[in-house]
């Protein structure tokens, strides 16, 4: 995969080699994210950060990643007052707005909108989430986190056993992550969800076609020797009826007691965030906050590294980042 | 006209010499906008980009123009929660906010508001649109585009024949552009609009007083040897009744067939954008997208150049921009 | 008080020495705010400017202060679409968002929210207002203004006579300012308000306990030899009934005539802003705008200096700011 000048629209664009390239560059970004030094490689470059649908953390993560490479950020949030709302085509919007920046990150509520937009853009476009369709940087940061966490325990992605829990039907993140995992070897999926929210057949076929194994379960029972437990939120409005929802309420949550009972002591806990902290819906209990295997905040930190890597690669500066190193003078909590 | 430290509030401030000065400086900005090099002449300067009324493209265009000169942008959008909404005067708002930046760009829904605001500001204020009143940077970018397009065909503004179509009554852009054109020599206006949306008498008088000619028409008929066709959107709610609106529906649209039938093969097509891409209202059809004379996206690109020029002139750095040149290291689609 | 790496959450954190430290550093910031020179000491640092409740001037003031030190700003405004609204805890939000910046400024409608947030943050957090609770940078800029204005008249804070007028019950600013003044010597408070909006007993006790004097009054009568008149807005909805409100309407306003009649010619007029400029509610009349003792716009200017000082101190760069000095090339109205 050629990165320079390319759009990043879908996980389907990636092969194993290109994923490893992203992760190598992300690894190089660690000292900048930790404020051990800084780079000005993109000084003078402008990111157009277009969030036609709000998402604070994804938006700020992209902006911060670009700032950490030395660039500037021009931001747009919301759609109610935009030209799109007045009937302008995505093509026109792209033709105009791509004149204002060197690269564009875009979130939009409609499936396919970012790809359509990219056809009018003269600068690279990175998909920051287009409705139920794709959110490739989330999938890449999830996979990057898995690799880092496994490496810490002496393992690697090949041979991984991952448990996915909760809403596997509507959870965009688990679909994309599954597709990326299919590019590796000998993966085992344990898929735990209510029947109504089971993993779609298309993903199951992809897993099987790639030669991997999966087990489907409707309850957390027995012992899972999973390396990773990827938890998601079950939204009750996804069920056909409240009766159905009540049936499953609380059955797919995770807390320290459930973790100890069903998982290995080294199983890494992941979640795409935000998690609901209100009592009735807490799919991931706060009593796990002190568990060293809770990787949810390492995931968001890794998101900055992966987004820096994608910016560097699409703008063709990945090999010269350190040529623009400067010292950091200020207090850093990182 | 003295630019340094001045407010840019109205097209009425400009004479021919000052317009040519803006365009000369805008021409110097081309290599920066094309990312052939970059300048840091305004590094450390802050733009206060105050959009009390939303306008994504104008807001981002100002911000990008300031970034391309090396400056920082602090932005405010919307008015519902602002101090203005709590009864603060524009004078107070200006006194306070002008303490936070080196120059201010402002859009506001009320006519005259930006001029009133400028009286309390200690830094230069550029009008980014004050309701039905003025939007001088749009008029300047339109005129700059006309000059560039005509030059490409070996002509210049003096002697221009321009056709203006659509809503000439409420279209702020065609009024301001007409005023600027009056400063040049021997201009011919062909004004095509429904009777209800005809060009106001004040503009017609200004055209006549300046010694130019105009023709008024209610239909696109015959052959126009216009150099420029400036199209605008006819909003149906502008008519007295739906019956009136129905009468005119589709009569002021432009597509490749109508263009070929009524215009010269070199007539340049302009539009203030956004254009409506929904079927019933498409005043400028997508089948013109491949027409090399469709200048609508060159207009928005030129907007960045003109705004860079105005920033450089009002901050008095127009002659030293290139002293702060740096190389560009990254991939550029421009 | 140790500043480097610390959160700034409450005026209660400050002793007299630490206040004087902030003011010393704020004084050093004057040439940068006046654009006589600029510094790049925080070049590459990122401020997370989180305004979950809108406040244009506080938000922009923080952002500008950070830019003036050379840093970048990533901003979030509003809460309706945030993860907090979807049930995420402040702790989680802080853990995530603190990964995206070097320091955070935060406003939030709920009392105690910023302190709670700070517990999850790995970078320093500065409270930009948490509901009725605290807004420490406002109190510091008020006190800094008092010191500067008194110095101009040859005085200092010890021995100050301050009149506070208007709504002393719900006015967060007068409470915090009173607490800070308690750290100085021999302060005299004249507290003028409707009975229903009198200064709370807790503040009166703090004043008395610190050995200062106060007088309570329900009308502006006689001559005040106050050095400072700190005016606030009386919002009619604060009263128990409209009859009660009508009783007081217009009795706590200040205009040039009332000022001349009741105050010394050198009494400095302050107000937290915004002031209401609509006729019926103008607590501070526009006819005072030419009064040289009207310090309200010097207050907001001082806010930038105080916020620059707090950024420099919490990030530990206060002693090296001038090592990164650069020239200013552009026109400045400051």
């Amino acid at each position: 995969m050629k990165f320079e000048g390319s759009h990043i629209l879908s996980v389907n664009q990636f092969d194993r080699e290109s994923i490893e390239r992203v992760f190598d560059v992300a690894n190089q970004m660690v000292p900048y994210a930790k404020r051990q030094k800084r780079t000005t490689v993109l000084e003078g470059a402008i990111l157009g950060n277009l969030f036609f649908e709000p998402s604070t953390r994804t938006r700020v993560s992209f902006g911060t990643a670009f700032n950490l490479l030395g660039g500037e950020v021009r931001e747009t949030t919301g759609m109610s007052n935009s030209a799109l709302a007045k009937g302008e085509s995505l093509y026109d919007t792209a033709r105009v707005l791509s004149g204002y920046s060197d690269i564009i990150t875009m979130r939009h509520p409609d499936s396919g909108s970012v790809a359509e937009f990219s056809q009018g853009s003269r600068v690279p476009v990175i998909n920051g989430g287009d409705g139920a369709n794709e959110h490739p940087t989330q999938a890449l940061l999830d996979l990057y986190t898995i690799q880092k966490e496994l490496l810490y325990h002496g393992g690697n992605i090949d041979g991984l056993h991952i448990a996915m829990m909760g809403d596997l039907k509507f959870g965009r993140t688990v679909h994309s992550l599954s597709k990326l995992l299919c590019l590796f070897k000998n993966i085992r999926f344990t898929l735990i969800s209510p029947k109504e929210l089971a993993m779609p057949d298309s993903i199951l076929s992809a897993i099987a076609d790639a030669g991997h194994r999966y087990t489907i379960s409707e309850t957390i029972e027995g012992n899972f020797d999973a390396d990773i437990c990827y938890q998601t939120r079950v939204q009750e409005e996804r069920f056909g009826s409240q009766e159905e929802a009540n049936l499953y309420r609380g059955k797919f949550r995770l807390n320290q007691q459930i973790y100890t009972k069903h998982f290995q002591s080294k199983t890494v806990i992941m979640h795409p965030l935000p998690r609901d902290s209100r009592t009735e819906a807490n799919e991931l209990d706060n009593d796990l906050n002190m568990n060293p295997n809770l990787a949810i905040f390492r995931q968001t930190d890794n998101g900055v590294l992966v987004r820096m890597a994608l910016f560097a690669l699409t703008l063709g500066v990945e090999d010269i980042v350190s040529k623009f190193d400067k010292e950091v003078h200020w207090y850093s909590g990182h």
Side-chain angles (χ1 to χ4, degrees), chain A residues 254-257 275 284-291:
Chain A
L254 197 63
N255 59 24
Q256 187 59 47
Q257 195 195 352
R275 59 174 165 169
L284 203 59
D285 202 279
N286 282 325
D287 73 359
L288 290 160
N289 284 1
M290 289 303 114
N291 188 321

Side-chain angles (χ1 to χ4, degrees), chain A residues 141-143 145-146 149 162 177 228-232 268-272 284 293-296 299:
Chain A
L141 78 86
D142 282 341
L143 187 62
T145 301
I146 290 172
E149 299 288 326
I162 185 167
L177 179 57
I228 303 285
C229 170
Y230 196 103
Q231 172 70 309
T232 64
V268 172
I269 306 163
M270 294 174 64
H271 188 290
L284 203 59
N293 291 320
L294 186 76
I296 57 176
Q299 278 173 275

